Amino acid sequence: MKMPRTLPMIAAGLMVAATLAHPASARTQTDVSPYLEVNQIAIANWQGGNDEVLTYTTVAAGVDASITTQRAEVGVNARYERRFGWGNNIPDQDAISGLLRGRVNLIRDTLSLEGGAIATRIRTDGLVGANNLLTGNVDSTTQVYSAYVGPTLTTRIGDLNLNGAYRFGYTKIEDDFGIGVPGSPALGSFDESHSHTATFSAGMQPGPLPVGWSIGGGYNREDANVLDQRFEDKYVRGDITVPVSPTLALVGGVGYEDVKISQRGALLDASGAPVLSDKGRLITDPASPRLLSYDTDGIIWDAGVLWRPSRRTSLEARVGRRYGNMNYTGSFSWRPSRDTSVNIAVYDSIESFGRLLNGNIAGLSTDFNASRNPFSGDINPCVQSATGGGQCFNDTLSAISGSNFRRRGISGQFATASGRTNWGLGVGYSRRTFLAPDNATFASVNGSHDDNYYAQLFANRRLDAQSGIDGTLYANYYDSGINGDGVGGIGDVTNVGANASYYRNFGRRLTATAALGVDAVDPQGIDSIISALGQIGLRYQF
């Protein structure tokens, strides 16, 4: 397994920049904890699947790190795992998983460098929406990598605020043969993409004038190699803020936007069917003209309210017109205490898998708290942060496709810490309406949609100075919207499960763990599978 060079380059660059930005001092907080780990896992199916008890041993090396200086913040949770299967039903496998988020102030309060990366796994057996527990048949999983990096400029000239930012993004899937998505294979499977995002704005806060104002714009482009897909979005707009009271303001904006999505045609055989590569991907016909998947331009506008009764609470809601019809967005954030946060977002945008995953990473704070599944070693989909920078990756990883789509929905995260106990909740719903050229090959894709519902509850409690317990409860329902016409005839998928683990420290470096869990997958059209899981392990922390 070969990791794309982009990810370690970004990780190393941010770590070096964090070190150079501010030498070690009394105000520098550095916590770097590398470790080695050995685990023994057993899986028994109570219902469906293979009756044989599957067992395997894992050896892992990882690091948890947090670096904070006056000018830099970097958080890392990374792990490499080698799995050794017992018997012929579980082959050996390598797995890389981790998260990185960093920000370095190159020029104090003016110029910063920001970046992030994720490495994780997804299912490729058609059971989309069941990524919570990637154990058992590891041949039906594949690696996903995504990263972004770029500078942000923020400065003032008198009362005028000037802002600019650029972000380069990259996303790669190693091998996605068999991923169940609406309209496959016509929808196309994802391989890799590069994206560029540039934004600018200039404006003033209320004060010098009775109202606040800003003028800004941006350019977004993504190129995906499958079918030579291209996304381009150019916009300019002006916004005003009209204070009504010290805590309430009316907000609104108007502008112009031009969005185009295009691709080349798929190579067809003599019968007119698409030709697929050995990885199940559509092959581009280089002689074909570019086909438009989406093309809209015109006036965009929105209006709404902004309510900020305190520095800990903020609510913004807007209604307007974008992408050719009505558009509704909003956000709510509340920090009732230093260790508690609530965040809710209502969204409506045009996305792709690569751009959406990059956006998820950017939504994380550098002080994220990523818990791991005790049986697979993977990072749990909902990543929490008491400062409000949490993120759930459930929806993004539930159904990967090579198509762009209109994404609308709502998501919410809650996290709190009190004494020895931490717990949190992530919930969400989204609908993706896929965009593709309206011709014979792609006709079944354009306008098809899926719906995804997810929830994850986690908690951990320190029992004493040497021991503690952790627990996770999760549920996901994926509705393909096409009555099981996906790969292998699999449509709707329900996945629920829970796990609990206990740890005990022996001295400062050695930790023993034990865990029990249950996982149920109920796909449309085939028998459901209910599995019981057990784990024991040892970790040595350097």
Side-chain angles (χ1 to χ4, degrees):
M1 179 177 56
K2 183 179 179 181
M3 181 191 297
R5 294 179 59 192
T6 307
L7 300 188
M9 288 172 63
I10 290 177
L14 284 172
M15 297 290 280
V16 170
T19 303
L20 296 178
H22 195 283
S25 70
R27 287 169 290 185
T28 299
Q29 298 180 0
T30 301
D31 182 9
V32 180
S33 302
Y35 64 86
L36 292 175
E37 188 175 287
V38 179
N39 294 285
Q40 182 66 38
I41 294 98
I43 306 172
N45 292 328
W46 284 344
Q47 176 180 311
N50 195 320
D51 293 335
E52 181 183 357
V53 176
L54 305 178
T55 58
Y56 55 92
T57 302
T58 65
V59 178
V63 61
D64 295 327
S66 176
I67 300 174
T68 303
T69 72
Q70 285 185 324
R71 296 170 59 183
E73 298 177 3
V74 178
V76 179
N77 184 316
R79 174 187 177 100
Y80 164 77
E81 178 178 292
R82 177 67 176 175
R83 174 182 293 182
F84 302 92
W86 291 28
N88 297 322
N89 290 325
I90 300 185
D92 297 348
Q93 186 192 45
D94 298 308
I96 297 172
S97 58
L99 279 171
L100 163 73
R101 272 290 282 119
R103 180 174 59 255
V104 180
N105 295 323
L106 303 178
I107 301 176
R108 188 183 299 274
D109 299 328
T110 300
L111 180 65
S112 63
L113 179 68
E114 181 179 325
I118 186 173
T120 188
R121 293 185 296 167
I122 58 166
R123 299 185 76 124
T124 61
D125 57 1
L127 299 181
V128 291
N131 283 313
N132 289 288
L133 187 62
L134 302 178
T135 58
N137 183 12
V138 294
D139 281 341
S140 64
T141 65
T142 191
Q143 288 281 159
V144 177
Y145 305 102
S146 186
Y148 84 95
V149 66
T152 298
L153 176 67
T154 302
T155 189
R156 291 172 64 95
I157 301 177
D159 294 321
L160 183 66
N161 300 309
L162 299 176
N163 301 282
Y166 167 76
R167 188 167 78 193
F168 170 77
Y170 174 77
T171 302
K172 169 69 176 177
I173 291 182
E174 279 194 342
D175 181 6
D176 58 350
F177 181 80
I179 289 179
V181 289
S184 294
L187 185 61
S189 54
F190 188 89
D191 183 15
E192 67 176 354
S193 71
H194 300 79
S195 62
H196 305 268
T197 300
T199 59
F200 73 93
S201 67
M204 291 183 180
Q205 294 294 324
L209 297 174
V211 300
W213 63 272
S214 70
I215 297 175
Y219 174 74
N220 303 314
R221 173 164 173 162
E222 181 185 43
D223 292 279
N225 64 336
V226 175
L227 299 181
D228 192 18
Q229 284 199 78
R230 181 183 302 159
F231 167 87
E232 282 191 294
D233 180 11
K234 298 169 282 188
Y235 68 92
V236 293
R237 61 176 291 153
D239 286 87
I240 61 169
T241 301
V242 182
V244 176
S245 73
T247 62
L248 182 67
L250 301 179
V251 294
V254 63
Y256 174 83
E257 185 173 34
D258 184 1
V259 182
K260 283 187 174 63
I261 306 173
S262 63
Q263 65 184 58
R264 297 195 184 277
L267 188 65
L268 306 178
D269 61 19
S271 66
V275 178
L276 303 180
S277 70
D278 57 356
K279 292 186 176 182
R281 299 184 178 109
L282 294 171
I283 298 176
T284 306
D285 181 358
S288 65
R290 297 204 70 84
L291 306 171
L292 283 174
S293 303
Y294 188 78
D295 183 10
T296 183
D297 67 289
I299 301 298
I300 58 174
W301 64 268
D302 56 59
V305 296
L306 176 61
W307 180 55
R308 290 179 178 169
S310 71
R311 290 190 303 173
R312 295 177 178 271
T313 305
S314 176
L315 170 67
E316 184 172 3
R318 294 186 182 232
V319 59
R321 187 170 181 83
R322 192 179 182 188
Y323 310 129
N325 51 35
M326 296 302 292
N327 184 275
Y328 305 91
T329 60
S331 63
F332 173 72
S333 65
W334 179 40
R335 290 194 63 194
S337 68
R338 184 187 65 177
D339 298 320
T340 301
S341 67
V342 178
N343 293 275
I344 300 173
V346 177
Y347 50 83
D348 185 347
S349 60
I350 293 179
E351 302 285 358
S352 70
F353 170 65
R355 298 196 307 277
L356 184 56
L357 187 54
N358 266 202
N360 282 177
I361 303 169
L364 280 175
S365 62
T366 57
D367 66 342
F368 64 84
N369 178 21
S371 61
R372 289 183 175 271
N373 188 288
F375 310 107
S376 66
D378 297 289
I379 290 177
N380 285 321
C382 280
V383 180
Q384 303 293 333
S385 170
T387 61
Q391 187 65 257
C392 285
F393 293 85
N394 308 64
D395 181 56
T396 305
L397 298 173
S398 287
I400 298 173
S401 77
S403 175
N404 284 262
F405 46 85
R406 178 83 175 267
R407 179 174 179 260
R408 286 173 278 195
I410 183 171
S411 64
Q413 294 88 39
F414 168 81
T416 186
S418 177
R420 297 181 176 183
T421 304
N422 299 286
W423 69 281
L425 174 68
V427 296
Y429 160 77
S430 76
R431 164 168 287 196
R432 284 177 286 201
T433 303
F434 294 96
L435 306 170
D438 190 15
N439 65 7
T441 304
F442 305 100
S444 63
V445 178
N446 193 34
S448 64
H449 70 270
D450 63 19
D451 296 276
N452 194 48
Y453 307 79
Y454 63 88
Q456 179 178 312
L457 174 68
F458 83 93
N460 61 74
R461 179 172 176 80
R462 183 166 48 89
L463 300 177
D464 54 42
Q466 301 299 326
S467 64
I469 55 175
D470 302 273
T472 301
L473 177 67
Y474 55 85
N476 201 96
Y477 173 65
Y478 173 79
D479 181 356
S480 71
I482 55 172
N483 299 320
D485 292 332
V487 172
I490 298 173
D492 305 348
V493 177
T494 301
N495 179 214
V496 297
N499 59 69
S501 62
Y502 169 81
Y503 72 86
R504 183 163 188 84
N505 299 322
F506 297 93
R508 298 178 55 189
R509 301 189 182 278
L510 188 64
T511 302
T513 61
L516 294 173
V518 61
D519 182 78
V521 179
D522 183 15
Q524 177 184 348
I526 62 176
D527 293 337
S528 59
I529 300 174
I530 302 176
S531 304
L533 306 99
Q535 173 266 350
I536 56 173
L538 285 174
R539 171 184 289 199
Y540 182 82
Q541 186 166 295
F542 295 92

